[in-house]
Every structure is written in structure tokens, then in C-alpha cells.
Amino acid sequence: TNMDSAFKSSTEEFLRDENSRYIIIPSAVSSSPKSHINFNIDQRVGCSSIQQSHNVNSEILVSNVNLKEIIDLIPDKYHYIDHLKIDCEGLDIDVIKSAEESIKRFVVVSTELRADYALEPLGFEFIQSQPGSFSYVNKSKKDILGSIDYKVRV
């Protein structure tokens, strides 16, 4: 999919901030080919999602990208990316699939659900469960593991 100009300009602004260790993406991330998708605002805090729910208060239309598009925005000068935390209200596997081979740039990927069958074929192995997540290390980057912070803070 092609990112709309609002998404692209806001993402580039975050990427230009050399002092930030975090990138905030104002978009839904899925493998859907749609450039925009309905985001359901749930009555319960922390449960809003692109999935339908009987607790939905309202919907808003948001830009939609796949994870590969986001990873591809990160300059190659960053040889690896420390940690990716995926918490997508049950759509974690969908997001992983949308990254394709580019997910291999991450040292650690943490998911809300067990994702062995999606991450193991991409060269990751399970390392630990943390409150609310399961973490996997990229076997080709395992030597970096001791120098990064991948603790999940909920």
C-alpha cells in the first residue's frame, strides 16, 4: 500500500528526531491492503482495535500501513533495531506477517500472544515470558542481547 501524505510526513518528523529512542506511528498496522481502516474505540481502556467488538463506543477512520513499510523508513545506518513490542488485541500474527523479511532487523520481538509458529521460520526463538507478553530473540543477533533493554513495561 502507499502511505498517505499525512502519515508519511508525521512519521518522517519522528524519524528526524535524533534524540528520541522511540518512534510513534499515528496509524493502524495490519496486513490489510486498504490504505485506511476503521479503528474501533472500545468502552474498556486499552482494548480499542481494528477488530469488531460488542463494546465499541465509536469508530474513526485511520491510515493503515503494514509493518514492512514502517521498518523500511528506518535508515540503514541502524544495523539493527533493539526491540519491537507488538500488542494488537489478538492481531499480533497479522502484524508479524505484514513485516515480511524486514522483521529480521529486530534483535527482540515481544508479542501479546505466543507467536512461535510465525517467528521461528523467520529465525527467532522464544526466550522468556514477561507480564503480558512473550519475547523472541533473532538467533543471528543473539550476541547483542545482553546490551539492549527489552523489558516490557505494562
Side-chain angles (χ1 to χ4, degrees):
T1 64
N2 289 327
M3 291 178 284
D4 67 5
S5 59
F7 168 79
K8 189 166 184 169
S9 64
S10 61
T11 303
E12 287 170 351
E13 181 179 320
F14 286 110
L15 290 174
R16 280 194 298 269
D17 181 358
E18 295 291 326
N19 298 319
S20 178
R21 293 191 58 215
Y22 302 95
I23 299 172
I24 298 169
I25 306 296
S27 182
V29 178
S30 79
S31 61
S32 171
K34 297 177 184 176
S35 64
H36 288 79
I37 197 163
N38 285 329
F39 186 75
N40 302 297
I41 310 299
D42 200 287
Q43 296 171 5
R44 300 163 295 167
V45 174
C47 295
S48 297
S49 172
I50 61 174
Q51 292 193 89
Q52 289 292 339
S53 165
H54 62 278
N55 296 313
V56 172
N57 277 346
S58 61
E59 290 181 347
I60 57 173
L61 192 63
V62 298
S63 64
N64 178 59
V65 296
N66 63 51
L67 188 54
K68 182 180 182 333
E69 288 177 281
I70 295 169
I71 296 167
D72 288 349
L73 289 172
I74 300 169
D76 289 337
K77 70 179 183 177
Y78 302 106
H79 301 290
Y80 63 87
I81 305 162
D82 293 0
H83 185 210
L84 171 66
K85 170 66 171 103
I86 303 172
D87 183 347
C88 297
E89 299 307 313
L91 295 172
D92 299 31
I93 303 302
D94 190 46
V95 170
I96 291 167
K97 288 179 182 177
S98 81
E100 301 172 11
E101 293 288 312
S102 64
I103 201 162
K104 294 178 180 181
R105 289 186 65 188
F106 292 94
V107 177
V108 175
V109 174
S110 298
T111 58
E112 181 181 29
L113 307 169
R114 286 296 297 242
D116 304 56
Y117 68 91
L119 287 168
E120 285 177 356
L122 295 169
F124 288 81
E125 68 182 9
F126 176 77
I127 49 173
Q128 75 179 97
S129 63
Q130 300 181 59
S133 76
F134 301 92
S135 294
Y136 300 83
V137 64
N138 181 334
K139 291 189 269 188
S140 71
K141 295 178 176 28
K142 211 172 185 176
D143 58 320
I144 304 169
L145 192 59
S147 65
I148 66 166
D149 175 10
Y150 61 92
K151 182 178 182 203
V152 174
R153 292 158 180 88
V154 289

PDB file of all heavy atoms in Angstrom, residues 62-83:
ATOM      1  N   VAL A  62      -8.668   5.608  10.190  1.00  0.00           N
ATOM      2  CA  VAL A  62      -7.251   5.921  10.379  1.00  0.00           C
ATOM      3  C   VAL A  62      -6.450   5.368   9.202  1.00  0.00           C
ATOM      4  O   VAL A  62      -6.889   4.448   8.516  1.00  0.00           O
ATOM      5  CB  VAL A  62      -6.698   5.343  11.702  1.00  0.00           C
ATOM      6  CG1 VAL A  62      -7.403   5.943  12.901  1.00  0.00           C
ATOM      7  CG2 VAL A  62      -6.795   3.836  11.733  1.00  0.00           C
ATOM      8  N   SER A  63      -5.268   5.941   8.987  1.00  0.00           N
ATOM      9  CA  SER A  63      -4.412   5.391   7.940  1.00  0.00           C
ATOM     10  C   SER A  63      -3.947   4.003   8.369  1.00  0.00           C
ATOM     11  O   SER A  63      -3.854   3.692   9.554  1.00  0.00           O
ATOM     12  CB  SER A  63      -3.230   6.319   7.655  1.00  0.00           C
ATOM     13  OG  SER A  63      -2.402   6.419   8.780  1.00  0.00           O
ATOM     14  N   ASN A  64      -3.684   3.171   7.401  1.00  0.00           N
ATOM     15  CA  ASN A  64      -3.293   1.786   7.648  1.00  0.00           C
ATOM     16  C   ASN A  64      -2.044   1.478   6.836  1.00  0.00           C
ATOM     17  O   ASN A  64      -1.974   1.800   5.657  1.00  0.00           O
ATOM     18  CB  ASN A  64      -4.431   0.856   7.224  1.00  0.00           C
ATOM     19  CG  ASN A  64      -4.066  -0.599   7.417  1.00  0.00           C
ATOM     20  OD1 ASN A  64      -3.770  -1.023   8.510  1.00  0.00           O
ATOM     21  ND2 ASN A  64      -4.081  -1.358   6.340  1.00  0.00           N
ATOM     22  N   VAL A  65      -1.048   0.913   7.479  1.00  0.00           N
ATOM     23  CA  VAL A  65       0.179   0.508   6.801  1.00  0.00           C
ATOM     24  C   VAL A  65       0.544  -0.896   7.256  1.00  0.00           C
ATOM     25  O   VAL A  65       0.016  -1.393   8.248  1.00  0.00           O
ATOM     26  CB  VAL A  65       1.359   1.467   7.106  1.00  0.00           C
ATOM     27  CG1 VAL A  65       1.087   2.849   6.582  1.00  0.00           C
ATOM     28  CG2 VAL A  65       1.668   1.504   8.586  1.00  0.00           C
ATOM     29  N   ASN A  66       1.442  -1.521   6.515  1.00  0.00           N
ATOM     30  CA  ASN A  66       1.963  -2.782   7.022  1.00  0.00           C
ATOM     31  C   ASN A  66       3.287  -2.498   7.717  1.00  0.00           C
ATOM     32  O   ASN A  66       3.891  -1.446   7.521  1.00  0.00           O
ATOM     33  CB  ASN A  66       2.076  -3.842   5.921  1.00  0.00           C
ATOM     34  CG  ASN A  66       3.032  -3.475   4.818  1.00  0.00           C
ATOM     35  OD1 ASN A  66       4.179  -3.107   5.078  1.00  0.00           O
ATOM     36  ND2 ASN A  66       2.578  -3.569   3.581  1.00  0.00           N
ATOM     37  N   LEU A  67       3.729  -3.409   8.540  1.00  0.00           N
ATOM     38  CA  LEU A  67       4.931  -3.195   9.342  1.00  0.00           C
ATOM     39  C   LEU A  67       6.174  -3.041   8.465  1.00  0.00           C
ATOM     40  O   LEU A  67       7.081  -2.283   8.788  1.00  0.00           O
ATOM     41  CB  LEU A  67       5.107  -4.328  10.351  1.00  0.00           C
ATOM     42  CG  LEU A  67       6.202  -4.163  11.383  1.00  0.00           C
ATOM     43  CD1 LEU A  67       6.076  -2.859  12.139  1.00  0.00           C
ATOM     44  CD2 LEU A  67       6.200  -5.344  12.347  1.00  0.00           C
ATOM     45  N   LYS A  68       6.208  -3.701   7.326  1.00  0.00           N
ATOM     46  CA  LYS A  68       7.346  -3.568   6.419  1.00  0.00           C
ATOM     47  C   LYS A  68       7.522  -2.115   5.983  1.00  0.00           C
ATOM     48  O   LYS A  68       8.656  -1.614   5.919  1.00  0.00           O
ATOM     49  CB  LYS A  68       7.174  -4.466   5.204  1.00  0.00           C
ATOM     50  CG  LYS A  68       8.352  -4.407   4.245  1.00  0.00           C
ATOM     51  CD  LYS A  68       8.130  -5.319   3.057  1.00  0.00           C
ATOM     52  CE  LYS A  68       9.278  -5.345   2.084  1.00  0.00           C
ATOM     53  NZ  LYS A  68      10.132  -4.193   1.986  1.00  0.00           N
ATOM     54  N   GLU A  69       6.434  -1.415   5.702  1.00  0.00           N
ATOM     55  CA  GLU A  69       6.527  -0.005   5.299  1.00  0.00           C
ATOM     56  C   GLU A  69       7.183   0.839   6.388  1.00  0.00           C
ATOM     57  O   GLU A  69       7.979   1.736   6.099  1.00  0.00           O
ATOM     58  CB  GLU A  69       5.139   0.557   4.997  1.00  0.00           C
ATOM     59  CG  GLU A  69       4.540   0.037   3.708  1.00  0.00           C
ATOM     60  CD  GLU A  69       3.144   0.572   3.498  1.00  0.00           C
ATOM     61  OE1 GLU A  69       2.212   0.047   4.132  1.00  0.00           O
ATOM     62  OE2 GLU A  69       2.998   1.527   2.714  1.00  0.00           O
ATOM     63  N   ILE A  70       6.855   0.558   7.636  1.00  0.00           N
ATOM     64  CA  ILE A  70       7.425   1.310   8.751  1.00  0.00           C
ATOM     65  C   ILE A  70       8.908   0.979   8.916  1.00  0.00           C
ATOM     66  O   ILE A  70       9.754   1.871   9.028  1.00  0.00           O
ATOM     67  CB  ILE A  70       6.653   1.012  10.052  1.00  0.00           C
ATOM     68  CG1 ILE A  70       5.220   1.530   9.926  1.00  0.00           C
ATOM     69  CG2 ILE A  70       7.365   1.617  11.251  1.00  0.00           C
ATOM     70  CD1 ILE A  70       4.298   1.064  11.013  1.00  0.00           C
ATOM     71  N   ILE A  71       9.239  -0.290   8.897  1.00  0.00           N
ATOM     72  CA  ILE A  71      10.634  -0.708   9.063  1.00  0.00           C
ATOM     73  C   ILE A  71      11.491  -0.143   7.938  1.00  0.00           C
ATOM     74  O   ILE A  71      12.616   0.307   8.165  1.00  0.00           O
ATOM     75  CB  ILE A  71      10.738  -2.245   9.128  1.00  0.00           C
ATOM     76  CG1 ILE A  71      10.016  -2.764  10.379  1.00  0.00           C
ATOM     77  CG2 ILE A  71      12.201  -2.696   9.124  1.00  0.00           C
ATOM     78  CD1 ILE A  71       9.792  -4.261  10.395  1.00  0.00           C
ATOM     79  N   ASP A  72      10.949  -0.118   6.733  1.00  0.00           N
ATOM     80  CA  ASP A  72      11.700   0.402   5.587  1.00  0.00           C
ATOM     81  C   ASP A  72      12.002   1.894   5.707  1.00  0.00           C
ATOM     82  O   ASP A  72      12.901   2.402   5.048  1.00  0.00           O
ATOM     83  CB  ASP A  72      10.963   0.121   4.277  1.00  0.00           C
ATOM     84  CG  ASP A  72      11.008  -1.351   3.888  1.00  0.00           C
ATOM     85  OD1 ASP A  72      11.774  -2.119   4.507  1.00  0.00           O
ATOM     86  OD2 ASP A  72      10.256  -1.742   2.974  1.00  0.00           O
ATOM     87  N   LEU A  73      11.275   2.620   6.557  1.00  0.00           N
ATOM     88  CA  LEU A  73      11.545   4.040   6.781  1.00  0.00           C
ATOM     89  C   LEU A  73      12.765   4.263   7.673  1.00  0.00           C
ATOM     90  O   LEU A  73      13.341   5.347   7.690  1.00  0.00           O
ATOM     91  CB  LEU A  73      10.340   4.724   7.432  1.00  0.00           C
ATOM     92  CG  LEU A  73       9.109   4.921   6.563  1.00  0.00           C
ATOM     93  CD1 LEU A  73       7.953   5.434   7.414  1.00  0.00           C
ATOM     94  CD2 LEU A  73       9.404   5.888   5.433  1.00  0.00           C
ATOM     95  N   ILE A  74      13.151   3.259   8.414  1.00  0.00           N
ATOM     96  CA  ILE A  74      14.274   3.391   9.339  1.00  0.00           C
ATOM     97  C   ILE A  74      15.573   3.272   8.534  1.00  0.00           C
ATOM     98  O   ILE A  74      15.784   2.275   7.840  1.00  0.00           O
ATOM     99  CB  ILE A  74      14.203   2.332  10.453  1.00  0.00           C
ATOM    100  CG1 ILE A  74      12.895   2.520  11.237  1.00  0.00           C
ATOM    101  CG2 ILE A  74      15.420   2.416  11.372  1.00  0.00           C
ATOM    102  CD1 ILE A  74      12.562   1.406  12.180  1.00  0.00           C
ATOM    103  N   PRO A  75      16.428   4.294   8.597  1.00  0.00           N
ATOM    104  CA  PRO A  75      17.644   4.307   7.765  1.00  0.00           C
ATOM    105  C   PRO A  75      18.533   3.087   8.001  1.00  0.00           C
ATOM    106  O   PRO A  75      18.610   2.552   9.115  1.00  0.00           O
ATOM    107  CB  PRO A  75      18.363   5.586   8.218  1.00  0.00           C
ATOM    108  CG  PRO A  75      17.305   6.433   8.837  1.00  0.00           C
ATOM    109  CD  PRO A  75      16.304   5.478   9.438  1.00  0.00           C
ATOM    110  N   ASP A  76      19.206   2.663   6.946  1.00  0.00           N
ATOM    111  CA  ASP A  76      20.092   1.504   7.015  1.00  0.00           C
ATOM    112  C   ASP A  76      21.286   1.715   7.937  1.00  0.00           C
ATOM    113  O   ASP A  76      21.947   0.753   8.317  1.00  0.00           O
ATOM    114  CB  ASP A  76      20.588   1.129   5.612  1.00  0.00           C
ATOM    115  CG  ASP A  76      19.479   0.533   4.764  1.00  0.00           C
ATOM    116  OD1 ASP A  76      18.496   0.018   5.331  1.00  0.00           O
ATOM    117  OD2 ASP A  76      19.594   0.592   3.523  1.00  0.00           O
ATOM    118  N   LYS A  77      21.564   2.994   8.288  1.00  0.00           N
ATOM    119  CA  LYS A  77      22.688   3.244   9.201  1.00  0.00           C
ATOM    120  C   LYS A  77      22.452   2.575  10.557  1.00  0.00           C
ATOM    121  O   LYS A  77      23.385   2.342  11.304  1.00  0.00           O
ATOM    122  CB  LYS A  77      22.958   4.734   9.367  1.00  0.00           C
ATOM    123  CG  LYS A  77      21.906   5.487  10.147  1.00  0.00           C
ATOM    124  CD  LYS A  77      22.281   6.958  10.291  1.00  0.00           C
ATOM    125  CE  LYS A  77      21.280   7.704  11.130  1.00  0.00           C
ATOM    126  NZ  LYS A  77      21.664   9.092  11.336  1.00  0.00           N
ATOM    127  N   TYR A  78      21.203   2.265  10.864  1.00  0.00           N
ATOM    128  CA  TYR A  78      20.870   1.499  12.071  1.00  0.00           C
ATOM    129  C   TYR A  78      20.904   0.028  11.665  1.00  0.00           C
ATOM    130  O   TYR A  78      19.961  -0.476  11.071  1.00  0.00           O
ATOM    131  CB  TYR A  78      19.509   1.908  12.628  1.00  0.00           C
ATOM    132  CG  TYR A  78      19.444   3.380  12.971  1.00  0.00           C
ATOM    133  CD1 TYR A  78      18.742   4.266  12.169  1.00  0.00           C
ATOM    134  CD2 TYR A  78      20.107   3.872  14.081  1.00  0.00           C
ATOM    135  CE1 TYR A  78      18.702   5.621  12.470  1.00  0.00           C
ATOM    136  CE2 TYR A  78      20.079   5.231  14.393  1.00  0.00           C
ATOM    137  CZ  TYR A  78      19.370   6.090  13.581  1.00  0.00           C
ATOM    138  OH  TYR A  78      19.338   7.423  13.878  1.00  0.00           O
ATOM    139  N   HIS A  79      21.997  -0.635  11.972  1.00  0.00           N
ATOM    140  CA  HIS A  79      22.210  -2.002  11.508  1.00  0.00           C
ATOM    141  C   HIS A  79      21.221  -2.989  12.118  1.00  0.00           C
ATOM    142  O   HIS A  79      20.959  -4.039  11.543  1.00  0.00           O
ATOM    143  CB  HIS A  79      23.640  -2.436  11.794  1.00  0.00           C
ATOM    144  CG  HIS A  79      24.641  -1.554  11.128  1.00  0.00           C
ATOM    145  ND1 HIS A  79      24.828  -1.546   9.764  1.00  0.00           N
ATOM    146  CD2 HIS A  79      25.476  -0.608  11.622  1.00  0.00           C
ATOM    147  CE1 HIS A  79      25.745  -0.658   9.455  1.00  0.00           C
ATOM    148  NE2 HIS A  79      26.165  -0.065  10.559  1.00  0.00           N
ATOM    149  N   TYR A  80      20.729  -2.648  13.272  1.00  0.00           N
ATOM    150  CA  TYR A  80      19.705  -3.474  13.902  1.00  0.00           C
ATOM    151  C   TYR A  80      18.810  -2.571  14.741  1.00  0.00           C
ATOM    152  O   TYR A  80      19.159  -1.436  15.054  1.00  0.00           O
ATOM    153  CB  TYR A  80      20.308  -4.583  14.762  1.00  0.00           C
ATOM    154  CG  TYR A  80      21.118  -4.085  15.936  1.00  0.00           C
ATOM    155  CD1 TYR A  80      20.502  -3.802  17.164  1.00  0.00           C
ATOM    156  CD2 TYR A  80      22.490  -3.886  15.835  1.00  0.00           C
ATOM    157  CE1 TYR A  80      21.238  -3.333  18.239  1.00  0.00           C
ATOM    158  CE2 TYR A  80      23.235  -3.427  16.905  1.00  0.00           C
ATOM    159  CZ  TYR A  80      22.602  -3.151  18.103  1.00  0.00           C
ATOM    160  OH  TYR A  80      23.317  -2.689  19.164  1.00  0.00           O
ATOM    161  N   ILE A  81      17.649  -3.088  15.085  1.00  0.00           N
ATOM    162  CA  ILE A  81      16.692  -2.368  15.928  1.00  0.00           C
ATOM    163  C   ILE A  81      16.517  -3.214  17.183  1.00  0.00           C
ATOM    164  O   ILE A  81      16.245  -4.418  17.091  1.00  0.00           O
ATOM    165  CB  ILE A  81      15.357  -2.179  15.185  1.00  0.00           C
ATOM    166  CG1 ILE A  81      15.604  -1.487  13.839  1.00  0.00           C
ATOM    167  CG2 ILE A  81      14.377  -1.388  16.043  1.00  0.00           C
ATOM    168  CD1 ILE A  81      14.465  -1.626  12.846  1.00  0.00           C
ATOM    169  N   ASP A  82      16.699  -2.589  18.337  1.00  0.00           N
ATOM    170  CA  ASP A  82      16.707  -3.341  19.598  1.00  0.00           C
ATOM    171  C   ASP A  82      15.469  -4.203  19.812  1.00  0.00           C
ATOM    172  O   ASP A  82      15.580  -5.402  20.014  1.00  0.00           O
ATOM    173  CB  ASP A  82      16.808  -2.395  20.805  1.00  0.00           C
ATOM    174  CG  ASP A  82      18.127  -1.668  20.900  1.00  0.00           C
ATOM    175  OD1 ASP A  82      18.997  -1.868  20.032  1.00  0.00           O
ATOM    176  OD2 ASP A  82      18.286  -0.883  21.844  1.00  0.00           O
ATOM    177  N   HIS A  83      14.294  -3.556  19.806  1.00  0.00           N
ATOM    178  CA  HIS A  83      13.119  -4.251  20.329  1.00  0.00           C
ATOM    179  C   HIS A  83      11.850  -3.795  19.637  1.00  0.00           C
ATOM    180  O   HIS A  83      11.652  -2.602  19.427  1.00  0.00           O
ATOM    181  CB  HIS A  83      13.026  -3.968  21.838  1.00  0.00           C
ATOM    182  CG  HIS A  83      11.940  -4.695  22.548  1.00  0.00           C
ATOM    183  ND1 HIS A  83      11.318  -4.174  23.645  1.00  0.00           N
ATOM    184  CD2 HIS A  83      11.358  -5.891  22.329  1.00  0.00           C
ATOM    185  CE1 HIS A  83      10.410  -5.033  24.084  1.00  0.00           C
ATOM    186  NE2 HIS A  83      10.410  -6.079  23.290  1.00  0.00           N
TER     187      HIS A  83
END
